[in-house]
Amino acid sequence: MNNQLLIGVLVPFLGTAFGSAMVFFMKKELSEKLNHALEGFAAGVMVAASIWSLIIPAMEQSASMGKLSFIPAVAGFWIGILFLLCLDELIPHLHMNSDEPEGMKANFKKTTMMVLAVTLHNIPEGMAVGVVYAGWLTGTSGITAAGALALALGIAIQNFPEGAIISMPLRSKGESRTRAFISGVLSGLVEPIGTIITILLAGLIVPVLPYLLCFAAGAMMYVVVEELVPEMASGKHTNVSTVMFALGFTLMMTLDVALG
Protein backbone atom coordinates (compact mmCIF):
# COMPACT_ATOMS: atom_id res chain seq x y z
CA MET A 1 0.00 0.00 0.00
CA ASN A 2 1.56 3.30 -1.07
CA ASN A 3 1.73 6.35 1.14
CA GLN A 4 -1.24 8.12 -0.43
CA LEU A 5 -3.49 5.12 0.12
CA LEU A 6 -2.22 4.75 3.67
CA ILE A 7 -3.11 8.37 4.37
CA GLY A 8 -6.56 7.86 2.90
CA VAL A 9 -7.16 4.86 5.14
CA LEU A 10 -5.72 6.24 8.37
CA VAL A 11 -6.54 9.95 8.38
CA PRO A 12 -10.33 9.61 8.88
CA PHE A 13 -9.80 6.98 11.58
CA LEU A 14 -7.30 9.21 13.38
CA GLY A 15 -9.91 11.97 13.38
CA THR A 16 -12.22 9.72 15.38
CA ALA A 17 -9.40 8.64 17.71
CA PHE A 18 -8.28 12.19 18.46
CA GLY A 19 -11.87 13.28 19.04
CA SER A 20 -12.45 10.36 21.40
CA ALA A 21 -9.30 11.37 23.30
CA MET A 22 -11.04 14.58 24.38
CA VAL A 23 -12.48 12.50 27.21
CA PHE A 24 -9.06 12.70 28.89
CA PHE A 25 -8.96 16.50 28.76
CA MET A 26 -12.55 17.57 29.43
CA LYS A 27 -13.83 17.09 32.95
CA LYS A 28 -17.52 17.60 32.30
CA GLU A 29 -19.95 16.16 29.81
CA LEU A 30 -20.57 18.07 26.61
CA SER A 31 -22.85 21.04 27.04
CA GLU A 32 -25.95 21.18 24.87
CA LYS A 33 -24.51 24.18 23.04
CA LEU A 34 -21.21 22.45 22.25
CA ASN A 35 -23.00 19.24 21.31
CA HIS A 36 -25.19 21.13 18.84
CA ALA A 37 -22.16 22.90 17.42
CA LEU A 38 -20.33 19.61 16.83
CA GLU A 39 -23.37 17.94 15.29
CA GLY A 40 -24.04 20.90 13.01
CA PHE A 41 -20.43 20.98 11.85
CA ALA A 42 -20.39 17.23 11.14
CA ALA A 43 -23.65 17.48 9.20
CA GLY A 44 -22.32 20.35 7.08
CA VAL A 45 -19.18 18.44 6.16
CA MET A 46 -21.16 15.32 5.24
CA VAL A 47 -23.62 17.19 3.02
CA ALA A 48 -20.86 19.06 1.17
CA ALA A 49 -18.81 15.87 0.77
CA SER A 50 -21.85 14.09 -0.64
CA ILE A 51 -22.33 16.79 -3.26
CA TRP A 52 -18.84 17.84 -4.32
CA SER A 53 -16.86 14.66 -3.70
CA LEU A 54 -19.45 12.07 -4.70
CA ILE A 55 -22.54 13.19 -6.64
CA ILE A 56 -20.91 15.75 -8.95
CA PRO A 57 -18.01 13.41 -9.93
CA ALA A 58 -20.54 10.62 -10.54
CA MET A 59 -22.57 12.77 -12.91
CA GLU A 60 -19.42 13.95 -14.69
CA GLN A 61 -18.42 10.33 -15.25
CA SER A 62 -21.86 9.63 -16.72
CA ALA A 63 -21.72 12.58 -19.12
CA SER A 64 -21.63 10.24 -22.12
CA MET A 65 -25.23 9.31 -21.32
CA GLY A 66 -26.30 12.83 -22.26
CA LYS A 67 -29.61 13.89 -20.76
CA LEU A 68 -29.82 10.54 -18.98
CA SER A 69 -26.60 11.12 -17.03
CA PHE A 70 -28.67 11.56 -13.90
CA ILE A 71 -29.73 7.90 -13.87
CA PRO A 72 -26.63 6.43 -12.15
CA ALA A 73 -26.72 9.25 -9.59
CA VAL A 74 -30.41 8.79 -8.78
CA ALA A 75 -30.21 5.00 -8.70
CA GLY A 76 -27.06 4.90 -6.58
CA PHE A 77 -28.39 7.55 -4.21
CA TRP A 78 -31.62 5.65 -3.58
CA ILE A 79 -29.81 2.34 -3.09
CA GLY A 80 -27.62 4.04 -0.48
CA ILE A 81 -30.67 5.45 1.30
CA LEU A 82 -32.40 2.06 1.34
CA PHE A 83 -29.23 0.27 2.46
CA LEU A 84 -28.87 2.51 5.52
CA LEU A 85 -32.60 2.25 6.17
CA CYS A 86 -32.26 -1.54 6.32
CA LEU A 87 -29.25 -1.33 8.64
CA ASP A 88 -31.15 1.14 10.80
CA GLU A 89 -33.99 -1.34 11.14
CA LEU A 90 -31.76 -4.35 11.79
CA ILE A 91 -28.93 -3.14 14.03
CA PRO A 92 -29.92 -2.41 17.64
CA HIS A 93 -28.76 1.08 18.54
CA LEU A 94 -29.56 4.07 20.72
CA HIS A 95 -29.19 7.69 19.70
CA MET A 96 -27.54 10.12 22.08
CA ASN A 97 -30.58 12.11 23.15
CA SER A 98 -33.04 9.24 23.20
CA ASP A 99 -34.10 6.57 25.66
CA GLU A 100 -35.89 4.52 23.00
CA PRO A 101 -33.67 1.89 21.32
CA GLU A 102 -34.08 1.39 17.59
CA GLY A 103 -33.52 -1.64 15.39
CA MET A 104 -34.01 -5.24 16.42
CA LYS A 105 -34.62 -5.94 20.08
CA ALA A 106 -31.49 -6.94 21.98
CA ASN A 107 -30.36 -7.09 25.58
CA PHE A 108 -27.42 -4.78 25.02
CA LYS A 109 -26.27 -2.17 27.50
CA LYS A 110 -27.24 1.40 26.70
CA THR A 111 -23.61 2.34 26.21
CA THR A 112 -23.13 -0.50 23.72
CA MET A 113 -26.13 0.63 21.70
CA MET A 114 -24.85 4.21 21.72
CA VAL A 115 -21.58 3.00 20.22
CA LEU A 116 -23.50 0.97 17.63
CA ALA A 117 -25.45 4.09 16.63
CA VAL A 118 -22.23 5.94 15.79
CA THR A 119 -20.73 2.84 14.17
CA LEU A 120 -23.80 2.61 11.95
CA HIS A 121 -23.23 6.00 10.42
CA ASN A 122 -19.48 5.53 10.11
CA ILE A 123 -20.10 2.76 7.57
CA PRO A 124 -20.98 5.06 4.64
CA GLU A 125 -18.09 7.38 5.45
CA GLY A 126 -15.58 4.54 5.13
CA MET A 127 -17.23 3.42 1.91
CA ALA A 128 -17.16 6.96 0.52
CA VAL A 129 -13.42 7.29 1.07
CA GLY A 130 -12.83 3.81 -0.32
CA VAL A 131 -14.89 4.42 -3.47
CA VAL A 132 -13.12 7.70 -4.21
CA TYR A 133 -9.66 6.18 -3.72
CA ALA A 134 -10.68 3.17 -5.80
CA GLY A 135 -11.75 5.57 -8.55
CA TRP A 136 -8.41 7.35 -8.35
CA LEU A 137 -6.55 4.03 -8.57
CA THR A 138 -8.28 3.10 -11.81
CA GLY A 139 -6.85 6.18 -13.50
CA THR A 140 -9.91 6.49 -15.73
CA SER A 141 -12.45 8.12 -13.44
CA GLY A 142 -11.14 11.68 -13.46
CA ILE A 143 -10.69 11.55 -9.68
CA THR A 144 -7.33 12.94 -8.62
CA ALA A 145 -5.18 11.99 -5.65
CA ALA A 146 -5.71 15.50 -4.29
CA GLY A 147 -9.47 15.14 -4.65
CA ALA A 148 -9.42 11.83 -2.80
CA LEU A 149 -7.26 13.40 -0.09
CA ALA A 150 -9.72 16.29 0.23
CA LEU A 151 -12.51 13.84 1.02
CA ALA A 152 -10.35 11.92 3.50
CA LEU A 153 -9.42 15.17 5.26
CA GLY A 154 -13.02 16.33 5.30
CA ILE A 155 -14.21 13.07 6.83
CA ALA A 156 -11.37 13.23 9.37
CA ILE A 157 -12.36 16.77 10.37
CA GLN A 158 -15.97 15.79 10.96
CA ASN A 159 -14.89 12.57 12.70
CA PHE A 160 -13.15 14.62 15.38
CA PRO A 161 -16.38 15.99 16.87
CA GLU A 162 -18.03 12.61 16.34
CA GLY A 163 -15.35 10.96 18.47
CA ALA A 164 -15.99 13.46 21.24
CA ILE A 165 -19.75 13.09 20.87
CA ILE A 166 -19.49 9.36 21.64
CA SER A 167 -16.74 9.30 24.29
CA MET A 168 -17.95 12.20 26.44
CA PRO A 169 -21.53 10.92 26.96
CA LEU A 170 -20.17 7.46 27.76
CA ARG A 171 -17.97 9.03 30.42
CA SER A 172 -20.94 10.93 31.85
CA LYS A 173 -22.87 7.65 32.09
CA GLY A 174 -20.24 6.15 34.38
CA GLU A 175 -17.72 4.59 32.02
CA SER A 176 -14.05 5.11 32.85
CA ARG A 177 -12.16 7.55 30.64
CA THR A 178 -10.16 4.69 29.13
CA ARG A 179 -13.24 2.61 28.31
CA ALA A 180 -15.02 5.65 26.89
CA PHE A 181 -11.99 6.41 24.71
CA ILE A 182 -11.72 2.82 23.48
CA SER A 183 -15.43 2.72 22.69
CA GLY A 184 -15.11 5.91 20.67
CA VAL A 185 -12.15 4.54 18.76
CA LEU A 186 -13.89 1.23 18.08
CA SER A 187 -16.93 3.05 16.71
CA GLY A 188 -14.68 4.43 13.98
CA LEU A 189 -12.94 1.15 13.18
CA VAL A 190 -15.50 0.29 10.51
CA GLU A 191 -14.24 3.23 8.43
CA PRO A 192 -10.74 1.94 7.59
CA ILE A 193 -12.15 -1.58 7.20
CA GLY A 194 -14.75 -0.35 4.72
CA THR A 195 -12.16 1.78 2.94
CA ILE A 196 -9.70 -1.11 2.53
CA ILE A 197 -12.35 -3.55 1.29
CA THR A 198 -13.58 -1.05 -1.29
CA ILE A 199 -10.05 -0.26 -2.48
CA LEU A 200 -9.27 -3.97 -2.86
CA LEU A 201 -12.30 -4.28 -5.13
CA ALA A 202 -11.19 -1.30 -7.24
CA GLY A 203 -10.79 -3.34 -10.41
CA LEU A 204 -14.32 -4.69 -10.14
CA ILE A 205 -16.13 -1.45 -9.43
CA VAL A 206 -14.98 0.63 -12.41
CA PRO A 207 -18.09 -0.09 -14.54
CA VAL A 208 -20.41 0.90 -11.70
CA LEU A 209 -18.31 3.64 -10.11
CA PRO A 210 -20.90 6.42 -10.64
CA TYR A 211 -23.50 4.26 -8.92
CA LEU A 212 -21.19 3.51 -6.00
CA LEU A 213 -20.20 7.15 -5.55
CA CYS A 214 -23.85 8.10 -5.23
CA PHE A 215 -24.57 5.04 -3.12
CA ALA A 216 -22.10 6.42 -0.57
CA ALA A 217 -23.67 9.88 -0.93
CA GLY A 218 -27.15 8.51 -0.30
CA ALA A 219 -25.99 6.59 2.75
CA MET A 220 -24.29 9.69 4.17
CA MET A 221 -27.33 11.86 3.54
CA TYR A 222 -29.52 9.32 5.31
CA VAL A 223 -27.34 9.68 8.40
CA VAL A 224 -27.52 13.47 8.23
CA VAL A 225 -31.31 13.64 7.90
CA GLU A 226 -32.21 10.72 10.15
CA GLU A 227 -29.81 11.41 12.99
CA LEU A 228 -27.85 14.64 12.92
CA VAL A 229 -30.53 17.10 11.81
CA PRO A 230 -33.10 16.06 14.47
CA GLU A 231 -30.45 16.19 17.20
CA MET A 232 -29.03 19.56 16.17
CA ALA A 233 -32.53 21.04 15.87
CA SER A 234 -33.73 19.93 19.30
CA GLY A 235 -33.66 22.02 22.46
CA LYS A 236 -31.88 25.35 22.70
CA HIS A 237 -28.95 26.82 20.73
CA THR A 238 -30.25 25.67 17.34
CA ASN A 239 -28.79 28.84 15.82
CA VAL A 240 -25.36 27.54 16.82
CA SER A 241 -26.09 24.31 14.95
CA THR A 242 -27.04 26.27 11.84
CA VAL A 243 -23.91 28.43 11.87
CA MET A 244 -21.67 25.41 12.44
CA PHE A 245 -23.46 23.52 9.66
CA ALA A 246 -22.63 26.38 7.31
CA LEU A 247 -19.02 26.38 8.53
CA GLY A 248 -18.64 22.64 7.99
CA PHE A 249 -20.31 22.85 4.58
CA THR A 250 -18.13 25.68 3.30
CA LEU A 251 -14.95 24.14 4.73
CA MET A 252 -15.56 20.82 2.98
CA MET A 253 -16.58 22.57 -0.24
CA THR A 254 -13.39 24.65 -0.12
CA LEU A 255 -11.22 21.60 0.53
CA ASP A 256 -12.72 19.71 -2.38
CA VAL A 257 -12.48 22.56 -4.88
CA ALA A 258 -9.04 23.76 -3.75
CA LEU A 259 -7.44 20.32 -3.59
CA GLY A 260 -9.49 18.54 -6.24
Side-chain angles (χ1 to χ4, degrees):
M1 184 178 291
N2 65 37
N3 290 338
Q4 288 175 314
L5 284 180
L6 189 62
I7 290 172
V9 171
L10 291 181
V11 165
F13 177 66
L14 290 175
T16 302
F18 289 147
S20 300
M22 289 299 99
V23 74
F24 294 112
F25 304 102
M26 299 177 69
K27 295 182 179 180
K28 299 180 180 179
E29 62 181 290
L30 292 175
S31 66
E32 183 181 42
K33 186 175 183 179
L34 179 56
N35 200 52
H36 278 186
L38 296 177
E39 288 169 345
F41 182 82
V45 170
M46 291 178 74
V47 171
S50 296
I51 297 170
W52 271 273
S53 298
L54 300 170
I55 295 175
I56 291 177
M59 297 189 75
E60 289 175 346
Q61 290 170 36
S62 305
S64 61
M65 298 177 66
K67 292 183 178 180
L68 298 179
S69 61
F70 66 89
I71 291 178
V74 171
F77 189 88
W78 267 103
I79 294 171
I81 291 283
L82 295 174
F83 176 71
L84 257 290
L85 178 61
C86 290
L87 290 184
D88 205 27
E89 292 294 323
L90 292 174
I91 298 176
H93 60 282
L94 179 68
H95 295 300
M96 294 299 168
N97 298 321
S98 174
D99 293 321
E100 292 293 329
E102 297 182 11
M104 297 179 66
K105 291 184 178 180
N107 295 320
F108 294 157
K109 293 169 58 179
K110 279 190 174 183
T111 51
T112 300
M113 288 195 287
M114 288 170 65
V115 172
L116 285 174
V118 177
T119 302
L120 180 63
H121 84 232
N122 279 336
I123 293 173
E125 294 167 10
M127 293 177 62
V129 174
V131 168
V132 170
Y133 269 93
W136 166 63
L137 282 175
T138 65
T140 60
S141 65
I143 297 173
T144 64
L149 176 61
L151 178 62
L153 287 174
I155 296 296
I157 290 169
Q158 72 95 26
N159 277 351
F160 183 88
E162 279 188 359
I165 287 171
I166 185 64
S167 65
M168 294 300 294
L170 289 176
R171 172 59 179 161
S172 70
K173 290 184 180 296
E175 296 283 356
S176 68
R177 283 188 169 86
T178 301
R179 285 181 63 88
F181 168 71
I182 292 173
S183 295
V185 170
L186 289 177
S187 73
L189 195 59
V190 294
E191 285 193 22
I193 293 173
T195 300
I196 291 170
I197 291 173
T198 309
I199 289 173
L200 290 175
L201 297 175
L204 300 176
I205 68 175
V206 174
V208 292
L209 188 59
Y211 293 89
L212 290 177
L213 287 167
C214 289
F215 171 89
M220 288 174 67
M221 291 296 286
Y222 179 91
V223 170
V224 171
V225 176
E226 197 273 340
E227 180 176 345
L228 295 178
V229 169
E231 290 181 2
M232 62 188 266
S234 64
K236 301 177 181 179
H237 310 298
T238 55
N239 57 332
V240 174
S241 303
T242 304
V243 171
M244 292 303 292
F245 176 92
L247 178 61
F249 185 93
T250 52
L251 176 61
M252 183 63 225
M253 177 179 63
T254 302
L255 275 175
D256 190 86
V257 175
L259 295 180

